[in-house]
Amino acid sequence: MIHETLSVSQVALPEQQMYDWQPFPLALECRTASATLPQVTAWLATQRDDLLAQAGICGAILFRGFPLATPVDFDGFVAAFGLENFPYDQSLSNAVRVNRTPRVFTANEAPASVTIFLHHEMAQTPIFPSRLFFFCEQAAASGGATPLCRSDILWQQLVERCPQFAQACAERGLRYTNVMPPAADVTSGMGRSWQSTLRADSREQAEQRLKTLGYEWQWLDDGCLRATTPRLPAVRDLGAGRRSFFNQLIAAYHGWKDTRNDPAKAIVHGDGTPLDAQAVATVAELAEGLTFDIPWQTGDVALVDNFVTMHGRRPFSGIRRVLASLT
């Protein structure tokens, strides 16, 4: 693809996957050594429709070699797509994050040793983004990959391996329970306080927000808030006969564990019945087999279609700064 003096080419990645003759993820490299950010944003503005369509087909696009170094550069990159911003402070995300610009924030403040399991962003809430952008401001010394998994392919395999469980998820949906602390807990991958999560200064405001969203709740003696979602879908129709396993089942069942939360109590079917533990193990096994780990290089950007692709975070050593922006 060419735009004036900006040369962008499709490239191959080690262990890149292929589905229906489409690479996962699609990888694009800027070949113009002296490229400037204005050139990049101009190119993105002309290519946006094609890029968004490609992300919806392939699941994710990795941009490499583009002239991005700072959160402000990344902000400009995302803004060039002309998509509505989904601010962190208006989300119901469990994660503790820190804004770097109004559009850009840290992906997760959890310690380097914490694994963040595969999930669709905010699929455990009634309000979720459609697309995610990640920016590697600094790659880790080791580890720290962002695993990606095509949930449409996962759904196909799940239907074949566990048809009854797949049907139960499709028909009954899922409910999630999360215990939120009264103050941010950065030692946890899900340590966002209830005040921040619900944009509430008081219990009364929090309860009103929960009531509006259809949640059930309970205040605990230590000031924490246990909240349970209404029935949420577990499967999403992508059109053209495609469906994705759109939920946070793997993350909730395996990863929602801290001093407040027990994964065994974090997720049930929408009618309150427990999940088949063996089937959940099969889901996790299938997903891991489909996973591609982004081999981050400093300056990389990834565009992830949140309806098609799950993501997570591997443990790491050294300093890792991966920023996010939601639309």
Side-chain angles (χ1 to χ4, degrees), residues 225-294:
L225 172 61
R226 177 184 289 119
T228 300
T229 70
R231 177 190 179 278
L232 298 174
V235 181
R236 185 177 182 87
D237 185 359
L238 300 175
R242 296 170 69 201
R243 304 179 84 187
S244 72
F245 197 49
F246 182 78
N247 53 64
Q248 287 225 1
L249 183 148
I250 296 173
Y253 200 89
H254 293 287
W256 284 16
K257 183 177 182 180
D258 57 20
T259 58
R260 296 168 301 279
N261 290 277
D262 178 357
K265 302 176 181 178
I267 183 170
V268 296
H269 282 299
D271 60 1
T273 56
L275 305 183
D276 181 333
Q278 184 56 51
V280 174
T282 299
V283 171
E285 173 192 340
L286 292 173
E288 188 62 29
L290 295 170
T291 293
F292 174 86
D293 281 1
I294 294 180

Side-chain angles (χ1 to χ4, degrees), residues 88 91-97 107-110 116 119-125 127 176-181 183-186 188-194 196-198 215 225 227 229 248 251-252 255-258 260-261 266:
Y88 169 61
S91 76
L92 295 169
S93 169
N94 297 344
V96 177
R97 297 169 173 170
N108 197 308
E109 290 293 296
I116 298 176
H119 62 283
H120 286 278
E121 188 69 19
M122 300 182 206
Q124 83 284 15
T125 80
I127 307 168
Y176 306 84
T177 296
N178 171 34
V179 179
M180 294 174 272
D185 177 7
V186 296
S188 169
M190 47 185 299
R192 192 179 183 188
S193 71
W194 60 260
S196 176
T197 302
L198 300 170
Y215 280 60
L225 172 61
T229 70
Q248 287 225 1
W256 284 16
K257 183 177 182 180
D258 57 20
R260 296 168 301 279
N261 290 277

Side-chain angles (χ1 to χ4, degrees), residues 5-319:
T5 59
L6 191 70
S7 175
V8 179
S9 301
Q10 182 174 331
V11 296
L13 297 170
E15 302 183 19
Q16 194 173 29
Q17 302 174 10
M18 295 289 291
Y19 301 108
D20 298 325
W21 307 103
Q22 297 288 339
F24 173 68
L26 174 65
L28 301 177
E29 185 172 72
C30 179
R31 297 296 181 84
T32 303
S34 58
T36 64
L37 187 59
Q39 284 179 304
V40 171
T41 56
W43 175 79
L44 289 171
T46 63
Q47 300 293 322
R48 67 177 297 276
D49 291 343
D50 180 58
L51 291 170
L52 294 175
Q54 285 292 325
I57 295 169
C58 299
I61 301 175
L62 178 67
F63 298 87
R64 176 158 287 172
F66 289 77
L68 281 73
T70 70
V72 173
D73 293 342
F74 177 46
D75 189 302
F77 185 97
V78 176
F81 281 83
L83 301 170
E84 181 181 355
N85 184 33
F86 188 163
Y88 169 61
D89 63 0
Q90 294 183 23
S91 76
L92 295 169
S93 169
N94 297 344
V96 177
R97 297 169 173 170
V98 178
N99 272 92
R100 302 287 288 276
T101 78
R103 187 188 301 272
V104 172
F105 43 82
T106 55
N108 197 308
E109 290 293 296
S113 60
V114 173
T115 295
I116 298 176
F117 290 85
L118 289 168
H119 62 283
H120 286 278
E121 188 69 19
M122 300 182 206
Q124 83 284 15
T125 80
I127 307 168
F128 39 78
S130 59
R131 298 177 181 92
L132 324 173
F133 291 84
F134 296 106
F135 169 56
C136 182
E137 186 180 19
Q138 181 173 337
S142 65
T146 294
L148 302 176
C149 174
R150 282 274 298 266
S151 280
D152 54 340
I153 307 300
L154 174 60
W155 174 249
Q156 293 174 12
Q157 295 188 0
L158 181 61
V159 169
E160 293 178 0
R161 285 278 298 273
C162 302
Q164 292 183 328
F165 181 69
Q167 182 179 5
C169 288
E171 292 179 351
R172 302 181 207 167
L174 297 167
R175 299 184 76 191
Y176 306 84
T177 296
N178 171 34
V179 179
M180 294 174 272
D185 177 7
V186 296
T187 68
S188 169
M190 47 185 299
R192 192 179 183 188
S193 71
W194 60 260
Q195 295 96 328
S196 176
T197 302
L198 300 170
R199 288 181 286 159
D201 295 323
S202 66
R203 291 191 176 194
E204 291 74 21
Q205 289 180 351
E207 290 177 1
Q208 183 57 51
R209 175 84 163 135
L210 291 168
K211 183 178 180 180
T212 300
L213 293 167
Y215 280 60
E216 297 175 0
W217 66 88
Q218 178 187 2
W219 293 103
L220 305 182
D221 292 341
D222 59 1
C224 292
L225 172 61
R226 177 184 289 119
T228 300
T229 70
R231 177 190 179 278
L232 298 174
V235 181
R236 185 177 182 87
D237 185 359
L238 300 175
R242 296 170 69 201
R243 304 179 84 187
S244 72
F245 197 49
F246 182 78
N247 53 64
Q248 287 225 1
L249 183 148
I250 296 173
Y253 200 89
H254 293 287
W256 284 16
K257 183 177 182 180
D258 57 20
T259 58
R260 296 168 301 279
N261 290 277
D262 178 357
K265 302 176 181 178
I267 183 170
V268 296
H269 282 299
D271 60 1
T273 56
L275 305 183
D276 181 333
Q278 184 56 51
V280 174
T282 299
V283 171
E285 173 192 340
L286 292 173
E288 188 62 29
L290 295 170
T291 293
F292 174 86
D293 281 1
I294 294 180
W296 285 121
Q297 294 181 11
T298 297
D300 283 351
V301 172
L303 162 59
V304 178
D305 189 305
N306 192 39
F307 298 156
V308 179
T309 300
M310 290 189 288
H311 71 281
R313 191 194 74 181
R314 304 290 192 192
F316 62 94
S317 63
I319 297 173

